[in-house]
Amino acid sequence: MVKKLSFKLILVFMVMVVALTVTIIASYVAIDTQKQHIAITEIISEERILAEKFSSETINLAQSRMSHMYFTDINDLSKSILLTEEKFNNLLETIDSRRYTLIDGNEIKLKLGGDFEKKVVNKVEEIRDTFLKSSELSKELSSTLLDENSEKYKNLYKSFSEINPNLLMLSDELVVLCLNEATNKSKISFYTQLSSVIIAVLLILLLIFMMIVDFYNPIKKIKEAFRKMSLGKIDIKLSRDKEDEFAELFEDFNSFTSQIGLIYEFEDSILKENNLDAMLKYMYENFRKFIPFVAIGIVYSKENSLVEVRFDEKCCCTENNIEFTPWIDKVVIENINNNKVIKTPIAMNNIILGFAYFEIDKEFFKESYIDFVKLIETKLSMAFYKSLLFDDLLNIVTSSLAKMAEAKDPETGGHLKRMALYTELLAKKLSIKSKWEKEINSEFIRNIYLTAPMHDIGKVSIKDDILLKPGKLTDAEFEIMKTHVNAGAEVLKDLDKKFSGFNINYFDIAVDIALCHHEKFNGSGYPNGLKGDTIPISARICAIADVFDALSTKRPYKTAFSLEKCYRIINEGKGNHFDPEVVDVFFESKEEIEKIYYKYKEE
């Protein structure tokens, strides 16, 4: 089965050549048949005329001599007989040689062929034999002396008279034979021409059918598809049952409309989605239809360091601090290990904020993927800019709220920064544990980093004489101090409620931390006496970070403890105050903990 249009075009060309060839052959056969018919007609006409002329002239000569009526032209008559005899022999030789010169001077090769040729050859031989006998008798009639051989002359004349009708009869039979063959050839020529016309018509109909099915119909579909696109309908798909170039074109068209549709959907998601992880997940799930990347990510600047957020084929979104890498101002390709990485800058208002990248296996890389990235380059910048801007705005909000609480306790100015870094570190360590890999994702890590500093926001409701008391609180004062968790939670719940109307669930972790960071793993904490896994994991992480920072820094009511003493107290609280699993991760991270401690230590 022919599948490719190129083959069909070749077939169309071949069909046209065949149709033209058939027509030419049919015309040639018709013309040749006509020429053969003319040649045979001339030959048999001349042969019949010569035969009659030879007979009549010989009879006239014989009768003139027998009646002693000598005319002055008797010699001319004898010469004419000889000339006629010569012409007749020449004509028979022409038939033998199969070459005949028409009246118009053109020579034609006679095509007798088959059974007809055998019949003609046999008939010509009979005529030749008969004519030879007649010719001999004619010569004798011309040369014999009539006075001395009158009886012999009469016998010669009688013999000639008997043979002569036979010669004419054979000539007539040749005429009939040739006329019948000419009639048959005329019929063959007619049917050949008729067949060529029918074949040509059928071929033309076949060409029309092929043009409609293989060219006109798909072109009509494409035209209709573009008409619909001009009216704003993008979700158009073209189908083709045949596997040809139009099928490939339809596939490319469908890919194009899918890309356009994806860009429109991407624009909608930019408007709807503010979360960076969700944006990466959306792109991973949808862009892989056009680029078979193994990972997609973004690198951007965050608080004087570089952060990479990566979504890979494990459907896992991770966030890590990375070493310095140069910014880019256009789409570039880099080779990393066995993969090709397409990078595109994230820029807004001519300010480069970072770059996004698509990591592709070298084996499956195509140059066309670069074109796709360039096509969505501006959309990517807008999407990531919006997500990063949103994170920055939330960071501003949370920092402002946290600093509002910090302003009442100036001696703990570095507490908020260390809390954010400690909780982020512990969350990252927990995220690689199989138990937590789904719940503690990069979004969770980013949110706990931003919201942990608000854990004590409720302290703005506590009077300064209690909050800043240098000594130990009384039981009554401690009860008042404990109310800060509910006060903070209420403030954050109100924010969470307002933001959730915009599909932003950012402050739910903040509420959990503010309300539950003083709960204890054994259930002896406040305000609700939660126990074990009923305490949100964000609060369990924040609890150990808060206590460690409180122990290791100076407070109004105490001096800073040594790190060894802090570690001992944390370890003693394992399973009682703190989640054992979080404690284990804390000690696994001692080196990173101490780096943060010394970097942001208050003198």
Side-chain angles (χ1 to χ4, degrees):
M1 178 181 178
V2 178
K3 295 182 179 180
K4 295 293 183 181
L5 287 178
S6 54
F7 293 156
K8 290 185 178 180
L9 289 173
I10 293 174
L11 179 61
V12 167
F13 176 75
M14 291 178 64
V15 167
M16 293 176 65
V17 170
V18 169
L20 182 61
T21 303
V22 168
T23 303
I24 292 173
I25 291 174
S27 299
Y28 173 78
V29 170
I31 293 171
D32 187 64
T33 301
Q34 186 179 16
K35 286 184 178 180
Q36 293 289 322
H37 179 71
I38 292 172
I40 291 173
T41 300
E42 288 186 8
I43 289 172
I44 60 176
S45 297
E46 187 177 355
E47 186 272 339
R48 186 67 174 80
I49 291 171
L50 290 174
E52 288 184 351
K53 185 178 181 182
F54 173 76
S55 299
S56 63
E57 287 178 340
T58 301
I59 291 173
N60 287 338
L61 177 64
Q63 288 179 347
S64 295
R65 295 189 67 188
M66 286 190 297
S67 62
H68 301 285
M69 295 175 66
Y70 296 100
F71 301 99
T72 56
D73 60 350
I74 192 167
N75 291 328
D76 293 337
L77 186 61
S78 297
K79 292 178 180 179
S80 178
I81 291 172
L82 292 175
L83 182 61
T84 301
E85 180 180 346
E86 182 180 357
K87 288 181 178 180
F88 194 87
N89 286 322
N90 291 337
L91 185 62
L92 294 178
E93 289 177 3
T94 296
I95 296 174
D96 290 338
S97 66
R98 306 291 193 272
R99 292 190 176 276
Y100 178 72
T101 302
L102 297 172
I103 295 175
D104 59 8
N106 292 322
E107 186 179 80
I108 183 173
K109 183 178 180 180
L110 298 177
K111 298 176 183 178
L112 304 178
D115 188 55
F116 173 65
E117 183 173 11
K118 292 179 181 179
K119 290 179 180 180
V120 169
V121 169
N122 292 334
K123 190 62 64 179
V124 168
E125 286 300 319
E126 291 183 41
I127 292 173
R128 181 179 280 109
D129 292 341
T130 304
F131 183 75
L132 182 61
K133 293 177 182 179
S134 298
S135 179
E136 290 176 354
L137 291 172
S138 177
K139 289 176 181 178
E140 289 188 32
L141 286 171
S142 298
S143 60
T144 301
L145 296 175
L146 184 60
D147 294 335
E148 297 177 358
N149 300 291
S150 59
E151 191 64 31
K152 179 181 178 182
Y153 198 88
K154 290 180 180 180
N155 290 332
L156 288 172
Y157 177 75
K158 181 180 179 181
S159 297
F160 180 83
S161 298
E162 291 175 352
I163 292 175
N164 185 59
N166 192 31
L167 176 64
L168 296 177
M169 182 189 69
L170 290 173
S171 296
D172 289 339
E173 289 178 356
L174 180 62
V175 169
V176 172
L177 181 64
C178 291
L179 288 175
N180 289 338
E181 182 64 17
T183 301
N184 291 333
K185 285 191 174 182
S186 296
K187 288 181 180 180
I188 292 172
S189 175
F190 170 75
Y191 286 119
T192 300
Q193 288 181 297
L194 180 62
S195 299
S196 68
V197 170
I198 293 173
I199 291 172
V201 170
L202 291 175
L203 291 176
I204 290 172
L205 292 175
L206 176 61
L207 290 177
I208 293 173
F209 175 77
M210 290 175 64
M211 294 298 291
I212 291 174
V213 173
D214 294 321
F215 294 93
Y216 177 75
N217 285 346
I219 291 174
K220 184 178 178 182
K221 283 185 178 181
I222 294 172
K223 179 182 176 182
E224 180 63 18
F226 278 108
R227 186 189 69 81
K228 290 180 179 179
M229 289 181 68
S230 68
L231 298 176
K233 187 175 182 180
I234 302 300
D235 56 337
I236 301 171
K237 293 292 180 286
L238 298 177
S239 61
R240 177 86 168 156
D241 295 332
K242 298 183 178 181
E243 297 181 7
D244 54 19
E245 284 83 352
F246 274 113
E248 296 173 0
L249 178 62
F250 284 8
E251 184 178 346
D252 291 340
F253 177 85
N254 293 340
S255 176
F256 169 73
T257 56
S258 296
Q259 289 184 22
I260 297 298
L262 178 62
I263 291 174
Y264 285 162
E265 290 177 7
F266 189 33
E267 289 178 338
D268 290 340
S269 70
I270 292 173
L271 296 175
K272 294 176 182 178
E273 189 58 65
N274 299 305
N275 183 272
L276 183 60
D277 292 0
M279 189 66 67
L280 285 172
K281 182 179 180 182
Y282 171 85
M283 288 190 287
Y284 184 87
E285 292 174 348
N286 290 276
F287 288 5
R288 277 172 61 85
K289 300 172 186 175
F290 308 104
I291 304 180
F293 52 79
V294 295
I296 183 174
I298 175 177
V299 175
Y300 64 98
S301 178
K302 175 182 176 183
E303 299 182 1
N304 300 319
S305 63
L306 287 183
V307 176
E308 177 188 29
V309 183
R310 175 186 176 92
F311 200 98
D312 58 27
E313 55 192 349
K314 297 178 182 178
C315 295
C316 177
C317 196
T318 57
E319 179 176 326
N320 297 290
N321 292 333
I322 60 173
E323 297 296 329
F324 171 77
T325 184
W327 275 178
I328 56 173
D329 58 4
K330 62 181 180 180
V331 176
V332 298
I333 306 173
E334 294 182 3
N335 293 310
I336 299 179
N337 298 325
N338 291 322
N339 294 333
K340 290 271 191 180
V341 177
I342 304 176
K343 293 183 178 180
T344 179
I346 299 171
M348 192 59 61
N349 299 324
N350 296 322
I351 299 175
I352 297 176
L353 306 174
F355 63 85
Y357 66 83
F358 299 85
E359 189 173 331
I360 308 165
D361 192 311
K362 281 184 179 179
E363 183 179 351
F364 304 107
F365 180 80
K366 294 181 181 178
E367 292 294 329
S368 59
Y369 299 153
I370 302 173
D371 296 330
F372 177 76
V373 173
K374 289 181 178 178
L375 179 67
I376 62 173
E377 181 179 1
T378 303
K379 309 298 181 185
L380 283 174
S381 286
M382 178 61 73
F384 287 126
Y385 172 77
K386 182 172 176 287
S387 296
L388 295 176
L389 177 63
F390 180 75
D391 278 353
D392 285 345
L393 289 175
L394 288 177
N395 193 17
I396 292 170
V397 172
T398 55
S399 295
S400 298
L401 289 172
K403 287 179 180 178
M404 182 175 63
E406 178 189 359
K408 295 192 68 175
D409 192 4
E411 292 185 286
T412 60
H415 177 58
L416 302 181
K417 181 63 178 178
R418 292 190 298 272
M419 273 289 295
L421 295 173
Y422 289 151
T423 53
E424 180 186 42
L425 174 62
L426 295 176
K428 284 183 178 179
K429 294 292 184 178
L430 280 172
S431 69
I432 62 177
K433 307 288 185 182
S434 59
K435 177 181 177 180
W436 300 106
E437 62 182 0
K438 291 184 178 180
E439 182 175 351
I440 303 179
N441 52 28
S442 60
E443 180 183 358
F444 179 96
I445 295 168
R446 195 176 304 111
N447 285 352
I448 201 172
Y449 171 84
L450 293 173
T451 57
M454 293 191 294
H455 66 290
D456 278 338
I457 191 175
K459 285 185 177 181
V460 297
S461 66
I462 306 300
K463 294 180 180 180
D464 289 350
D465 59 340
I466 296 176
L467 181 65
L468 302 178
K469 184 178 179 180
K472 184 178 180 181
L473 298 176
T474 65
D475 291 343
E477 289 173 335
F478 186 63
E479 289 300 320
I480 294 173
M481 179 63 80
K482 288 195 295 184
T483 63
H484 81 278
V485 294
N486 288 304
E490 288 303 316
V491 171
L492 295 173
K493 280 180 182 178
D494 187 55
L495 283 174
D496 186 45
K497 184 178 180 180
K498 287 181 171 61
F499 275 87
S500 63
F502 298 95
N503 194 31
I504 300 172
N505 300 315
Y506 174 78
F507 288 96
D508 51 355
I509 289 181
V511 172
D512 288 340
I513 291 173
L515 184 63
C516 302
H517 71 283
H518 283 295
E519 297 285 2
K520 295 184 178 180
F521 197 74
N522 62 4
S524 62
Y526 67 88
N528 298 313
L530 299 180
K531 183 178 182 180
D533 290 342
T534 60
I535 305 171
I537 184 60
S538 57
R540 281 179 268 165
I541 294 172
C542 198
I544 194 170
D546 187 30
V547 170
F548 174 76
D549 194 68
L551 293 173
S552 60
T553 58
K554 181 181 178 181
R555 293 295 173 93
Y557 53 85
K558 62 170 282 295
T559 60
F561 294 168
S562 66
L563 290 181
E564 289 73 17
K565 185 175 181 179
C566 294
Y567 293 149
R568 186 171 64 252
I569 293 173
I570 293 294
N571 192 49
E572 288 173 355
K574 182 177 180 181
N576 296 315
H577 189 162
F578 309 117
D579 182 343
E581 192 171 0
V582 179
V583 172
D584 290 340
V585 167
F586 176 85
F587 283 108
E588 289 173 7
S589 311
K590 278 178 62 176
E591 185 177 346
E592 294 97 323
I593 292 286
E594 292 181 8
K595 284 182 180 180
I596 296 171
Y597 170 77
Y598 285 114
K599 183 175 181 178
Y600 297 96
K601 181 180 179 182
E602 296 175 354
E603 299 299 333

